Amino acid sequence: MTNKTTKKKPHEVLSRVITLGEINDDNVNEVIGIIYEINEEDSKNTTKAAQPIQLVLNSQGGDVYQGFGLVDCIELSKTPVHVTVLGQAMSMALPILLSGHHRSMSQRSTLMYHEISWETGREKLGYHKQEAKEGDRLQRMYDEIVVSKTSVTEKKLKEVRDRNQEWYITAEEALKLGFVDEIL
């Protein structure tokens, strides 16, 4: 019996276009890995400016912690990350859009803001109090991103939360309020 091993070529990133749907462990960790890989590749090339990474979002949202991990990754990326919405950027996908170095959306795409939510299950009261405190912290982080990257005020966000409603934002509204830099 012979053991044949094939020597692998160093991994080359063929595309700088990344797509993201649901924000969950698998999807976000893969995107973070690709962004880091492209940054590593670009750091070795000192002769020309790096081409931007294109992140295409069509997402109803997902896990808050995973989303904030991707927000941090995009903001820390030395290679510019341009985020484009084709379809939707709702819930946790909204701060991901806002973290982009350049932000765009198609004419018929929709953004959506709402109060964060997650399941806590049947637990003791102390657990729920702890979770409520953490929820308040996460909501403040989410809102800080929206307020710092757009012309939307904390007062407007509080009005939406107080009504316990979703705020759907058209492409035209998104451009006017600074959620995006351009409509495609």
Side-chain angles (χ1 to χ4, degrees):
M1 178 181 202
T2 59
N3 183 2
K4 256 181 144 177
T5 57
T6 308
K7 191 163 186 162
K8 290 184 176 182
K9 294 180 181 178
H11 179 70
E12 294 180 30
V13 178
L14 300 176
S15 175
R16 288 180 178 257
V17 177
I18 307 167
T19 59
L20 179 62
E22 184 178 354
I23 298 164
N24 61 35
D25 289 352
D26 293 336
N27 294 343
V28 170
N29 287 337
E30 183 177 344
V31 171
I32 288 172
I34 293 168
I35 291 172
Y36 267 89
E37 197 171 284
I38 291 171
N39 272 268
E40 178 66 26
E41 182 181 291
D42 289 348
S43 72
K44 295 175 185 172
N45 186 357
T46 58
T47 59
K48 63 178 183 175
Q51 293 293 319
I53 300 166
Q54 303 292 328
L55 175 60
V56 179
L57 277 178
N58 186 12
S59 177
Q60 292 182 359
D63 186 89
V64 175
Y65 293 107
Q66 289 295 325
F68 282 137
L70 183 51
V71 166
D72 288 344
C73 178
I74 292 168
E75 289 179 346
L76 294 170
S77 179
K78 299 274 191 253
T79 301
V81 179
H82 293 187
V83 182
T84 300
V85 178
L86 295 177
Q88 59 192 335
M90 299 184 172
S91 192
M92 196 59 218
L94 184 59
I96 292 171
L97 164 65
L98 294 175
S99 67
H101 298 99
H102 181 80
R103 308 180 306 251
S104 60
M105 66 190 290
S106 62
Q107 180 180 342
R108 288 176 279 285
S109 290
T110 303
L111 309 180
M112 188 267 285
Y113 167 89
H114 67 170
E115 185 173 52
I116 64 165
S117 65
W118 74 98
E119 294 182 32
T120 59
R122 290 182 50 157
E123 299 290 338
K124 295 178 182 172
L125 179 60
Y127 176 82
H128 289 290
K129 288 179 181 179
Q130 169 188 311
E131 291 301 298
K133 186 176 178 181
E134 176 65 357
D136 288 340
R137 182 183 78 87
L138 295 172
Q139 187 68 57
R140 282 190 306 274
M141 288 174 22
Y142 185 105
D143 290 350
E144 193 278 328
I145 292 170
V146 174
V147 170
S148 69
K149 307 256 183 176
T150 70
S151 63
V152 176
T153 65
E154 174 58 41
K155 180 181 176 185
K156 170 64 176 173
L157 298 180
K158 184 176 181 329
E159 288 171 6
V160 173
R161 290 192 315 272
D162 287 350
R163 288 191 316 262
N164 197 26
Q165 294 180 330
E166 283 73 25
W167 175 25
Y168 293 97
I169 305 161
T170 66
E172 292 78 21
E173 291 172 302
L175 183 62
K176 179 180 162 195
L177 295 170
F179 284 92
V180 294
D181 302 309
E182 69 175 323
I183 299 172
L184 304 174

